[in-house]
Structure formats: structure tokens, C-alpha cells
Amino acid sequence: MTSDAPTLTFRTTDLRGRSLGLAELRAAVPRLAAGDGSGVEDVVRGIIADVRSRGFGALRELAHRFDGVEQRHPRVPAEALAAALEGLDAGVRDALTESIARARAFAGAQRPQDVTVRPAEGASVTQRWVPVGRVGLYVPGGLAVYPSSVVMNVVPAQAAGVQSIALASPPQKDNGGLPHPTILAAAALLGIEEVYAIGGAQAVIAFAYGVPAGADERGDLAPIEPVDVVTGPGNIFVATAKRLVKGVVGIDAEAGPTEIAILADTTADPALVAADLISQAEHDPRAGSVLVTDSAELVERVRGELAAQTSRTKHRDRVLTALAGEQSGAVLVDSLDAGIAVCDAYAAEHLEIMTADAPAVAARIRNAGAIFVGDYSPVSLGDYCAGSNHVLPTSGTAAFSSGLNVATFLRAIQVVDYSESALRGVAGHIRSLSDAEDLPAHGDAVDVRFAGR
């Protein structure tokens, strides 16, 4: 530990005695200030133009510039996937196998059923769920290795019935220009054969637009076919790329830094609260760790535990930076009801409930990516082995969006099937409504079917 290592700062926002509306609560809770992002957007737009115009040439230059690797084609050879799986630590393989099994059980149960309604004799309207044809899944590198994100992205796509699945992860200089071997092993364990060593925004762009076949002095270069949906977490460049290609392809979300909120009362164990706040801060210096409570005493006890536990955690500097940031801290409220209101305004990616009668309190929460109930359901469980999905909405977007799930990879197609008599039964209504909207040809298209009959 160096003498200039950061010290613990975990500020408190005191909302006691204040009656705040939703907008005021959203402004009061700890969260990173939104930047205009124009500089990042300009960079990503440049990468889009470059990849679309120069294809594999652009990807090669970006891999050299950002990852320090030389590559001819980013496709990971089949033998590299097999070797990674063969070399995977037995304990990690067992853990991934269990994680996959639990995720598959939950994802398989999520698939919505087709429904048919018959409004009249000879009339039916069906909603049929159909998987998208092809998806591109992104698994980040950077500060950590995320084989669990391979599981979380692949399993719901497979459960949805997607037939073509491609995965991208950043190339690594220390791994011969291939993604991390544990990422490759997880892909192989799931049966994913199409894996690319592409990182950052360029991976999203390559999936969204495709990369046409090319050639160099050594021969032909196989194309990367475009996808219908791109999913997976990543840094601000990945998130910006997903936003810019939305509409060209579907995306799961424009993810921001990860976050945890813990709603706790006097019954909460401060050591557990602190451990869970630290576990999320470990991800990223910009990660958010927020405690919401009606107990000032608990805040002080948690602060003491944070000081003790951060002194021995591996990524201490990163954790302390995150805990000291404007996105982290304790929020003091007058009551549990006020705490629930704060949590709904914050709309956390991960929300833990550490209160008396935690299941009943959890049932009252409306806005969260995932809710973890009680002392034995930490976010770490959801990250790896709960069976739930850890790709969740961040930055307050849980108020209107959902985590990654089977429906992300499905489309609802409506099928209308009316007989002659069933159409005749509503022909007059169609004429009345089409005339009311000054679209008489709509009515004519029905009337012509019965002319002279």
C-alpha cells in the first residue's frame, strides 16, 4: 500500500424532514452527472464511417491502435476455442456448467406463449412469437474477465430459438491476439462456434452493418454477416455505438456504469451491507454504491465496516475511488416508506432489501433491474449462479426498461385471418371509420370485396 493511496470517503445525503417530489428525489440521489458525450460520439461516428468504408482494413488498424495486436481476420479459429475449453480450470468449468444450467432453467420458463383470440365466427387474431434470425453478443474485456457475461448473453438467445449467434470480445496481446481464454472456453462450453476478436465500438458496428468479404495478399477474407440484435455490456464507447446503431439493429440497452442500492433498516448487518457495496465498487471507479436507510446509526456502522473491509480488498484503490464518487453514498430518510420512494426514484440496476420482512418490502418496489431479497441473496449470487440474468438496465433506466431476457430476442408477429362472412360483419364499421379519418380508399378496399354480391 502506498502512502498516497486514497482514503475512505462515503458521503451522506440527509433527506429527513423533507417532502420531495419525484423529480426532486431523482436530483437528490447519488448519481454521476450526465456529460454531453459529444466527444465520444464524434469518435464513434468516425469508427462507424471507417469500418463501413474500409471493412477489415479498418478493423485491423483499430485492433493495432487500441489493443496492440496484429490480425489478418478477427475470426477465432475453431482449434483455439477447443484448446481454451480443454485448458479450462476444472473448478471454473464446474461453476460455469452450474451457472448455465440454472440460467437455462429460468430462461426456458420465460418464453411467452402464442395466443389466439376469435372475436367472431370465422375471425381470428393470433400473436405469434418468432426469434430474430441472427444476434451479435458483446463481452467486454478491460478491468476484469467476464465469462459470466458469455452465459448471460448466450443462454436467453438460445432459449429464444435464435439460430445464428456470433460473439465478440476484445483481442489481447498476451493471448496471441485472441480474446481471453476463459471467454473462449465459456463460448465453446455453450456451443458457440462464431467468435471474433473485436473490441469496443467497432465490434458493435461490425455486427450492426456487417463486414463484406475481402481479400489480401494471402487470399480471401470471409465476411461478417450483419445481425438483427446486438446485446451485451461495455464501456462508454460500446454504449454510444449501440445508441448510434439502434434502428439499424435492435439493442438490449445503452448501459452505463454498474450500480447497487441497498435498502436497509436497523435489523441489517452492517458487515454484509459494506461487503455488498464493496463488491459492486470493485467493478469500476465509476460504479455506484448507494445505501438507503432510516438509521443514522447504521450509516456509521457501515462506514466503519467499509474502512475495515476496504483495507484488505484486492482492488482497494478502485473501490475507494468508486465509494468516494458523486455516484455513491448513504441516503438518510425518515421511514421505510420514504426509503421505498427513494429506491423507486433511483431505479437501481441492482437493489438489495435488508430489512425486517424483506419479501414484503421487495414486493412494494416498482423500479429496479433486479431485486435481491434478504441476507442470503447478494448481488454476487445474481452475477453468477442465481439463474437470473445480470445484464440489467442502469442509470435509472430500470424505471422503463427490463434486463436481458428471452423476449429481447423475440418478435411478436400478429396474424389476422378473417373469412368472408367475418369481414362482412365489420365492413360497415370500417367504412364509418375510414370516412371519419378521410381515408375513403380504406373503406373502398373492403367494399370492393362485396360489390355485386
Side-chain angles (χ1 to χ4, degrees):
M1 188 183 306
T2 61
S3 59
D4 60 350
T7 57
L8 174 69
T9 301
F10 190 68
R11 62 178 53 84
T12 297
T13 300
D14 194 342
L15 300 184
R16 291 174 298 180
R18 302 170 64 185
S19 179
L20 302 179
L22 178 59
E24 293 171 311
L25 284 176
R26 287 177 173 170
V29 295
R31 184 152 269 152
L32 286 172
D36 64 12
S38 57
V40 172
E41 184 170 317
D42 288 344
V43 170
V44 174
R45 287 190 184 278
I47 295 173
I48 291 174
D50 196 22
V51 172
R52 294 193 70 186
S53 65
R54 297 197 302 120
F56 290 113
L59 292 179
R60 277 193 295 270
E61 289 184 15
L62 291 165
H64 177 74
R65 185 195 316 168
F66 294 123
D67 305 298
V69 303
E70 302 293 337
Q71 62 179 203
R72 177 172 180 261
H73 192 288
R75 179 78 180 255
V76 175
E79 55 268 26
L81 292 168
L85 183 55
E86 184 178 350
L88 184 64
D89 175 83
V92 175
R93 180 166 183 157
D94 288 346
L96 283 171
T97 299
E98 183 65 25
S99 178
I100 290 166
R102 294 184 181 217
R104 279 183 170 154
F106 187 48
Q110 292 172 19
R111 201 182 198 287
Q113 299 299 307
D114 295 354
V115 295
T116 298
V117 173
R118 303 186 187 281
E121 183 68 29
S124 71
V125 183
T126 298
Q127 180 160 279
R128 180 161 57 93
W129 291 95
V130 179
V132 299
R134 176 169 164 80
V135 300
L137 312 178
Y138 184 71
V139 177
L143 294 177
V145 180
Y146 295 105
S148 58
S149 287
V150 179
V151 176
M152 300 299 169
N153 278 273
V154 170
V155 167
Q158 290 178 331
V162 178
Q163 294 300 302
S164 178
I165 299 176
L167 186 145
S169 192
Q172 297 194 329
K173 192 173 183 179
D174 294 341
N175 194 39
L178 298 179
H180 193 281
T182 310
I183 299 296
L184 300 182
L189 195 59
L190 285 156
I192 302 302
E193 299 176 349
E194 188 180 351
V195 180
Y196 296 98
I198 313 176
Q202 55 269 33
V204 174
I205 295 157
F207 280 149
Y209 294 101
V211 181
D216 62 12
E217 66 280 359
R218 294 165 58 185
D220 294 336
L221 299 171
I224 301 174
E225 298 294 344
V227 304
D228 301 305
V229 172
V230 175
T231 72
N235 62 19
I236 190 171
F237 292 94
V238 172
T240 301
K242 288 168 74 176
R243 174 167 53 82
L244 293 177
V245 302
K246 184 180 181 180
V248 176
V249 292
I251 65 170
D252 53 342
E254 184 186 343
T258 191
E259 62 200 22
I260 182 176
I262 301 177
L263 177 60
D265 61 15
T266 56
T267 68
D269 183 334
L272 300 185
V273 173
D276 293 353
L277 292 171
I278 290 169
S279 72
Q280 212 60 29
E282 180 178 46
H283 276 284
D284 187 330
R286 300 173 74 242
S289 294
V290 176
L291 168 63
V292 181
T293 183
D294 58 357
S295 171
E297 179 185 358
L298 178 66
V299 172
E300 291 311 309
R301 293 176 67 191
V302 167
R303 194 172 274 115
E305 284 289 340
L306 288 172
Q309 293 184 35
T310 54
S311 69
R312 54 182 183 267
T313 196
K314 178 179 180 180
H315 302 294
R316 180 173 183 268
D317 286 4
R318 187 190 308 164
V319 168
L320 290 173
T321 300
L323 293 176
E326 62 183 328
Q327 74 276 14
S328 298
V331 179
L332 267 175
V333 293
D334 288 310
S335 65
L336 184 61
D337 287 347
I340 290 172
V342 168
C343 289
D344 276 340
Y346 184 71
E349 177 189 16
H350 311 94
L351 175 63
E352 291 187 358
I353 308 296
M354 291 189 178
T355 65
D357 199 5
V361 173
R364 296 175 61 192
I365 298 294
R366 296 179 57 85
N367 298 335
I371 302 172
F372 300 83
V373 184
D375 287 354
Y376 298 97
S377 304
V379 168
S380 301
L381 173 66
D383 282 343
Y384 298 115
C385 276
S388 58
N389 200 293
H390 78 204
V391 182
L392 299 166
T394 62
S395 307
T397 60
F400 54 81
S401 60
S402 307
L404 192 66
N405 62 82
V406 171
T408 306
F409 304 101
L410 296 170
R411 296 156 296 139
I413 298 177
Q414 298 178 17
V415 181
V416 179
D417 187 351
Y418 269 53
S419 67
E420 178 184 347
S421 62
L423 178 60
R424 189 185 295 274
V426 293
H429 296 315
I430 295 171
R431 167 53 67 190
S432 295
L433 291 171
S434 67
D435 288 348
E437 293 188 351
D438 193 25
L439 297 170
H442 283 60
D444 295 344
V446 173
D447 292 344
V448 71
R449 285 166 164 79
F450 305 111
R453 296 189 184 183

